[in-house]
Amino acid sequence: MKNRSWPNIFSSESLYKKFFKPILAKDEGVDAEQLTQLALNSLRQASLYRNWPGISQALTQLEIELNRKDPRLEQKIFGCHFKNPLGLAAGFDKNGIAAGIWNNFGFGFAELGTVTWHAQEGNPKPRLFRLSKEKAALNRMGFNNNGAVTMRDILERQKLKSPGNRSSLIGLNLGKSKVTPLEQAHEDYASSLEILSSFADYAVINVSSPNTPNLRKLQDAKALRRLIKRLRRLPSCPPLLVKIAPDLDNIAIDSLTTVAFEEGLAGIIAVNTSIDRLGLENRIIAQTKNPLSQENGGLSGRPLRGRAIEIIQRLRKNAGADLTLIGVGGIDTPESAWERITAGASLIQIYTGWIFEGPALVPKILEGLVLQLDRHGFKNISEAVGSNVPWI
């Protein structure tokens, strides 16, 4: 794999280090949600006008800088061709406004959403907090998004290539609208997927966010089966996965694995954010002056790494080699990425780590994975999945 990054004061890494790194180095300062929205506004314009001169040239240069192509990283999973195993996790591009350019950032796939049938503002602000020292974040966003109909219009306007004809795949992460009663959740999810399925290489049933009241009750086997069966009745249902919480006990994890097998799900994504404070109970949130133990919301980033690995290992042990696992939570170095793959994940996703480390994290991880393939004598990334070999 040839490193094609170029030393330039206008490279994404240089710009990130100059403008974003100093902000992210401390908890206080620019509000975390405002900073995210600032970045998204720029990405929205770039995606919408990506074929315009100037913008097209900049995106091509970005692709040269951040993409790392190597056939050993390619996989065909649930009928989809992944150019590499690294994806952008759900939660960043909630409305799909940058769907046309995630390939330029080097990702093998990007998960849009979480999207709900009804547009909703989410929880009161402030609702996103940096924990800079720990490379973590606390969020209680509450599925803020513009709704499935608006996402459809946004994706149509970007004139995306159809599923199967993209160099970088698109997943859709679906959630329940807050106003929808739990007993009607299956219809809420189905309404969203029905109008968005034509854009999706795969779809994810998000029943694990801690920020929508009672949502996690849908992880119950009976409720999840009902939801899956309803989505399967749609005429163009893409491969379905379920995203689970890190706070489930082993019995619940095993039950979910059984449901996934029996209902023929394409895979499981592990894990979402955690309501466990993972040893940070007394950590003070700078903006509220309260300890983390007194704040609502889900914890993401580096503190999740240990628990996320445990769950992937348990899922792989019980599921065997047939069920696809996507590992997410606390991946922010090439070593942590390799660790998740050898624990049993065929694909991995990043979000919080990508924010703290910047765009260069993508090529760094991909280069690290290829290096480990060479050192262990693996012919491709699939051979490394579940191998439990160490980082050397």
Side-chain angles (χ1 to χ4, degrees), residues 266-281:
I268 297 175
I269 300 180
V271 291
N272 212 317
T273 59
S274 179
I275 57 174
D276 191 319
R277 294 314 178 222
L278 303 169
L280 299 177
E281 290 80 5

Side-chain angles (χ1 to χ4, degrees), residues 175-367:
K176 183 189 81 67
S177 305
K178 188 175 182 178
V179 298
T180 301
L182 203 61
E183 58 271 17
Q184 292 298 315
H186 57 295
E187 295 297 339
D188 192 86
Y189 282 85
S191 295
S192 296
L193 185 56
E194 186 172 18
I195 68 169
L196 291 171
S197 61
S198 62
F199 301 99
D201 291 287
Y202 70 90
V204 180
I205 304 168
N206 187 342
V207 289
S208 51
S209 170
N211 300 316
T212 296
N214 298 317
L215 181 75
R216 289 188 170 191
K217 291 183 178 179
L218 294 174
Q219 292 179 123
D220 173 76
K222 183 178 179 181
L224 185 57
R225 285 184 194 276
R226 183 188 188 196
L227 179 51
I228 294 168
K229 290 181 184 297
R230 175 64 185 92
L231 297 179
R232 282 272 170 75
R233 293 205 303 269
L234 295 173
S236 301
C237 184
L240 287 177
L241 296 87
V242 63
K243 188 169 186 176
I244 67 173
D247 310 308
L248 293 171
D249 60 30
N250 288 338
I251 294 175
I253 292 171
D254 295 345
S255 177
L256 270 168
T257 306
T258 299
V259 172
F261 257 125
E262 293 179 351
E263 296 299 330
L265 285 182
I268 297 175
I269 300 180
V271 291
N272 212 317
T273 59
S274 179
I275 57 174
D276 191 319
R277 294 314 178 222
L278 303 169
L280 299 177
E281 290 80 5
N282 297 322
R283 170 67 153 86
I284 300 297
I285 299 296
Q287 293 88 335
T288 67
K289 311 304 180 186
N290 295 324
L292 199 56
S293 60
Q294 295 180 15
E295 295 285 354
N296 293 325
L299 187 65
S300 66
R302 190 172 291 178
L304 263 71
R305 180 174 172 178
R307 179 58 179 158
I309 292 170
E310 290 174 359
I311 292 179
I312 285 289
Q313 290 173 331
R314 187 169 188 89
L315 288 168
R316 177 54 66 214
K317 179 180 178 181
N318 293 333
D322 296 329
L323 188 66
T324 297
L325 303 179
I326 301 181
V328 59
I331 298 174
D332 58 6
T333 62
E335 183 175 358
S336 59
W338 178 253
E339 182 180 56
R340 205 66 51 91
I341 287 172
T342 60
S346 296
L347 303 168
I348 51 176
Q349 294 176 321
I350 55 176
Y351 177 179
T352 305
W354 185 64
I355 297 299
F356 278 108
E357 300 302 322
L361 180 61
V362 174
K364 286 177 182 176
I365 285 178
L366 297 177
E367 289 168 3

Side-chain angles (χ1 to χ4, degrees), residues 70-227:
D70 193 302
R72 291 171 292 177
L73 295 177
E74 298 176 13
Q75 298 175 91
K76 189 169 184 178
I77 301 174
F78 44 78
C80 299
H81 180 261
F82 291 82
K83 69 175 184 179
N84 69 58
L86 182 58
L88 176 67
F92 187 77
D93 192 358
K94 294 177 182 291
N95 295 301
I97 60 176
I101 60 172
W102 289 122
N103 168 69
N104 298 88
F105 285 85
F107 291 109
F109 61 110
E111 202 165 296
L112 312 179
T114 298
V115 62
T116 56
W117 176 241
H118 296 284
Q120 51 190 42
E121 294 183 359
N123 293 322
K125 299 178 181 180
R127 55 193 181 183
L128 179 61
F129 307 93
R130 288 188 295 272
L131 286 77
S132 298
K133 181 180 178 181
E134 295 82 4
K135 297 294 180 70
L138 178 73
N139 97 78
R140 46 174 177 258
M141 304 296 286
F143 287 167
N144 58 305
N145 74 103
N146 293 332
V149 173
T150 298
M151 177 182 271
R152 178 197 61 192
D153 295 343
I154 288 171
L155 295 178
E156 285 180 345
R157 192 178 176 199
Q158 292 179 78
K159 296 184 170 74
L160 304 175
K161 291 183 178 180
S162 60
N165 296 303
R166 304 164 176 155
S167 57
S168 189
L169 306 186
I170 290 178
L172 290 177
N173 189 291
L174 309 171
K176 183 189 81 67
S177 305
K178 188 175 182 178
V179 298
T180 301
L182 203 61
E183 58 271 17
Q184 292 298 315
H186 57 295
E187 295 297 339
D188 192 86
Y189 282 85
S191 295
S192 296
L193 185 56
E194 186 172 18
I195 68 169
L196 291 171
S197 61
S198 62
F199 301 99
D201 291 287
Y202 70 90
V204 180
I205 304 168
N206 187 342
V207 289
S208 51
S209 170
N211 300 316
T212 296
N214 298 317
L215 181 75
R216 289 188 170 191
K217 291 183 178 179
L218 294 174
Q219 292 179 123
D220 173 76
K222 183 178 179 181
L224 185 57
R225 285 184 194 276
R226 183 188 188 196
L227 179 51

Side-chain angles (χ1 to χ4, degrees), residues 28-39:
E28 296 179 292
V30 180
D31 177 76
E33 186 173 354
Q34 290 179 352
L35 186 64
T36 299
Q37 194 56 52
L38 176 66

